[in-house]
Amino acid sequence: MTSRLLVDKIEGKSTANTVQMPSGSIVQVVSETYTKSGHATTFGSASFTDSVSITFTPKFNNSLIKHTFFAKTQLSNQDYNKAHDCRWLRDSTVVSGQSWTNYFNRVDFSADYYPVIICHFTDEPNTTNAVVYKFQGKAYGATTNGSWQCFYPNRNDGDASTFGSHGGQWTIEEIAQ
């Protein structure tokens, strides 16, 4: 059997023995799966509250960092209109956010609602140091009258075991430039 090694470019010792990645190549992937028991978060204050985070260390300082995030949620509108106000941070810098997502008006609906939050965004941290990405949420419209819950199993029959405990996932991909 014959083996082949195919690479686009290998640098010598003068550049610290690095292998150049072609633009668009996926360098690394980090993924976290969230469950109700370990990660359920209720957002009920007018200020953003931390939920989950991932520490990520880029291999190259010019990489594009692609985020794919989804989470099952619960909006109960018995006392106030509900929606998702949420954001994603790199350390203390907001890199993406949503407001009024999945708006749920108490006049139009009379029961709970279990929408999914989905967000895709890219970031360019320009570093090879570890960064902490965080997901945060708050009560819709910055009021304390409403709240919503994230990473809650999507259920419509009151039995969480029917749908399992998979409540969300966050995948981060580093893409060479």
Side-chain angles (χ1 to χ4, degrees):
M1 176 180 248
T2 304
S3 297
R4 288 186 342 169
L5 173 65
L6 302 172
V7 296
D8 288 319
K9 185 175 184 181
I10 296 179
E11 295 287 336
K13 288 184 179 184
S14 63
T15 59
N17 296 322
T18 60
V19 175
Q20 298 267 330
M21 298 294 294
S23 181
S25 297
I26 295 177
V27 177
Q28 64 174 317
V29 176
V30 173
S31 188
E32 295 282 341
T33 299
Y34 304 110
T35 63
K36 176 185 177 187
S37 61
H39 301 95
T41 304
T42 298
F43 301 109
S45 75
S47 300
F48 280 102
T49 301
D50 290 351
S51 181
V52 293
S53 65
I54 295 178
T55 300
F56 185 82
T57 305
K59 302 274 188 208
F60 303 105
N61 67 355
N62 65 339
S63 292
L64 185 66
I65 310 300
K66 177 184 170 188
H67 297 255
T68 305
F69 180 94
F70 90 89
K72 295 177 183 176
T73 68
Q74 177 187 25
L75 296 173
S76 174
N77 71 331
Q78 295 176 0
D79 59 350
Y80 193 75
N81 299 338
K82 301 292 191 302
H84 297 131
D85 282 357
C86 53
R87 66 187 185 183
W88 292 261
L89 287 79
R90 175 190 1 98
D91 297 325
S92 60
T93 302
V94 176
V95 292
S96 188
Q98 300 178 7
S99 185
W100 288 39
T101 303
N102 294 320
Y103 180 78
F104 188 44
N105 188 314
R106 70 178 183 263
V107 174
D108 296 333
F109 297 94
S110 62
D112 292 348
Y113 181 45
Y114 300 93
V116 175
I117 293 175
I118 298 174
C119 189
H120 302 276
F121 63 95
T122 57
D123 184 34
E124 297 179 56
N126 298 313
T127 185
T128 56
N129 295 329
V131 295
V132 177
Y133 287 103
K134 285 190 236 180
F135 171 70
Q136 298 179 327
K138 68 177 182 175
Y140 153 73
T143 70
T144 56
N145 295 329
S147 67
W148 57 279
Q149 192 170 49
C150 195
F151 309 123
Y152 200 80
N154 189 4
R155 62 181 206 260
N156 60 14
D157 63 356
D159 181 5
S161 65
T162 302
F163 294 94
S165 61
H166 188 211
Q169 185 168 339
W170 190 349
T171 301
I172 301 175
E173 299 172 82
E174 180 176 0
I175 302 170
Q177 296 303 297

